[in-house]
């Protein structure tokens, strides 16, 4: 079984995307043997009111019966936008969404903003995961009207240490950290925090050039198949799993990466 924990529908304002509808993604899943995709609506990153994007996703999934068992929808919530608490309640209790994506850089708030911490705690209390991305696109190829990667001439693209503060603030939440990019080095205390947290990384990010090293360092229970589709290609995330030799990962571990770890975190 294959579960993709990192996929999208919707539009990216700065580049043309393909396979960015439920129909197109469903077709691609069938072609490559993916059983379930966790999806969000990219439009929620750019709409002033993210709930409009969540409503779009809800309507698109319910438009065809074939989508309902294949897609697990996650809401995009901006905790500094008025009414976000009501939006969260609607997405989970009415729409049946199974997690929340948060975009501090695009929605212009700090990761330890009190509203962000409150949102993470509320999602935790629902028993659902909170999702952070290292990045959406490679900042070296960003549009001039995309968010800046520079502040006071200092590169500020996230690395793993950038996300640790929210995990320390709410250590009993569930997390998904996607599109693993940039520095992954942690000290012993930081690594211990990661290992005891209910957390998954996906396999899409460019930093994962040697999957076996990441399995040794973080543990095989910390990774799951993810594509970051349609922004990244659909196969690299899976090839990182399937290219592991028997000495690097036996079939039991590969099944954990393909779907087992995702099933556990998503409670499916």
């Amino acid at each position: 079984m294959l579960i993709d924990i990192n996929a999208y529908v919707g539009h990216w304002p700065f580049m043309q995307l393909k396979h960015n509808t439920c129909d197109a993604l469903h077709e691609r899943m069938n072609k490559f043997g993916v059983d379930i995709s966790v999806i969000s609506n990219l439009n929620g990153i750019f709409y002033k009111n993210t709930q409009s994007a969540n409503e779009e996703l809800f309507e698109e999934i319910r438009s065809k019966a074939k989508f309902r068992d294949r897609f697990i929808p996650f809401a995009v919530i901006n905790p500094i936008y008025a009414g976000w608490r009501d939006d969260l309640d609607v997405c989970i209790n009415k729409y049946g969404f199974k997690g929340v994506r948060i975009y501090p850089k695009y929605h212009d708030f700090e990761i330890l903003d009190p509203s962000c911490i409150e949102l993470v705690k509320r999602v935790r209390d629902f028993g659902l995961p909170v999702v952070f991305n290292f990045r959406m696109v490679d900042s070296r190829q960003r549009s001039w009207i995309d968010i800046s990667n520079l502040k006071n001439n200092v590169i500020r693209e996230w690395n793993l240490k950038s996300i640790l503060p929210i995990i320390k603030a709410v250590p009993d939440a569930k997390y998904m950290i996607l599109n693993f990019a940039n520095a992954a080095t942690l000290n012993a205390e930081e690594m211990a925090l990661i290992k005891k947290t209910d957390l998954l990384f996906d396999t899409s990010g460019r930093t994962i050039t040697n999957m076996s090293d990441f399995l040794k360092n973080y543990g095989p229970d910390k990774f799951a198949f993810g594509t970051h589709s349609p922004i990244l290609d659909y196969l690299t995330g899976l090839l990182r799993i399937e290219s592991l030799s028997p000495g690097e990962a036996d079939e039991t571990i590969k099944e954990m990466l393909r779907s087992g770890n995702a099933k556990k975190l998503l409670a499916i």
Side-chain angles (χ1 to χ4, degrees):
M1 185 178 191
L2 276 177
I3 299 176
D4 178 4
I5 66 167
N6 182 15
Y8 290 96
V9 296
H11 299 280
W12 192 256
F14 315 116
M15 63 188 294
Q16 185 184 57
L17 297 177
K18 298 179 180 179
H19 312 293
N20 61 331
T21 64
C22 283
D23 261 320
L25 178 57
H26 187 269
E27 182 178 343
R28 177 166 267 206
M29 290 164 64
N30 289 340
K31 180 178 180 180
F32 293 105
V34 176
D35 298 280
I36 295 172
S37 289
V38 175
I39 61 171
S40 297
N41 189 350
L42 284 169
N43 300 339
I45 300 175
F46 300 97
Y47 288 170
K48 182 177 180 180
N49 181 2
T50 63
Q51 189 69 349
S52 299
N54 298 325
E55 292 166 357
E56 288 175 354
L57 180 60
F58 174 69
E59 292 298 334
E60 188 172 2
I61 290 176
R62 69 183 294 201
S63 67
K64 295 182 180 179
K66 66 180 181 179
F67 295 155
R68 295 173 195 176
D69 294 329
R70 303 293 297 278
F71 297 129
I72 298 177
F74 275 33
V76 178
I77 300 290
N78 177 0
I80 62 170
Y81 188 78
W84 70 265
R85 296 172 186 84
D86 291 334
D87 294 342
L88 178 67
D89 183 69
V90 168
C91 285
I92 294 175
N93 290 318
K94 181 178 179 180
Y95 295 165
F97 284 21
K98 300 302 181 182
V100 171
R101 284 186 180 253
I102 305 176
Y103 297 92
K105 280 196 170 185
Y106 279 91
H107 294 151
D108 197 25
F109 60 88
E110 297 297 324
I111 199 167
L112 289 181
D113 185 290
S115 294
C116 183
I117 294 174
E118 180 186 350
L119 172 56
V120 172
K121 289 180 176 179
R122 283 177 178 254
V123 178
R124 173 203 63 192
D125 292 344
F126 281 112
L128 301 177
V130 176
V131 183
F132 291 94
N133 286 69
F134 277 90
R135 63 184 188 178
M136 291 303 298
V137 295
D138 190 332
S139 62
R140 296 169 298 179
Q141 301 170 339
R142 59 174 285 276
S143 164
W144 64 273
I145 53 175
D146 200 348
I147 58 170
S148 174
N149 192 41
L150 289 174
K151 187 172 184 178
N152 299 323
N153 293 318
V154 175
I155 295 290
R156 58 173 189 155
E157 192 170 89
W158 272 3
N159 56 38
L160 186 49
K161 287 180 181 287
S162 307
I163 304 173
L164 288 179
I166 191 69
I167 298 175
K168 291 179 181 178
V170 195
D172 54 346
K174 295 180 180 181
Y175 295 94
M176 291 162 58
I177 302 178
L178 308 179
N179 197 6
F180 207 132
N182 304 319
T185 303
L186 301 177
N187 62 36
E189 180 183 354
E190 292 166 337
M191 183 62 79
L193 175 65
I194 288 293
K195 288 186 175 181
K196 70 181 182 181
T197 300
D198 198 357
L199 177 154
L200 280 182
F201 302 103
D202 83 321
T203 58
S204 70
R206 64 165 183 153
T207 298
I208 304 179
T209 55
N210 191 332
M211 189 79 229
S212 63
D213 286 345
F214 279 85
L215 297 181
K216 291 176 186 175
N217 291 334
Y218 294 87
D221 61 327
K222 293 301 181 187
F223 291 88
F225 167 54
T227 62
H228 201 61
S229 171
I231 293 175
L232 297 181
D233 74 88
Y234 203 66
L235 294 179
T236 297
L238 183 57
L239 288 173
R240 288 183 172 132
I241 298 171
E242 300 305 327
S243 63
L244 291 165
S245 69
E248 294 171 325
D250 60 22
E251 194 60 25
T252 299
I253 290 177
K254 285 187 176 181
E255 278 302 306
M256 290 169 62
L257 302 176
R258 293 173 186 135
S259 63
N261 293 336
K263 285 182 180 179
K264 183 178 178 181
L265 189 78
L266 297 169
I268 59 174

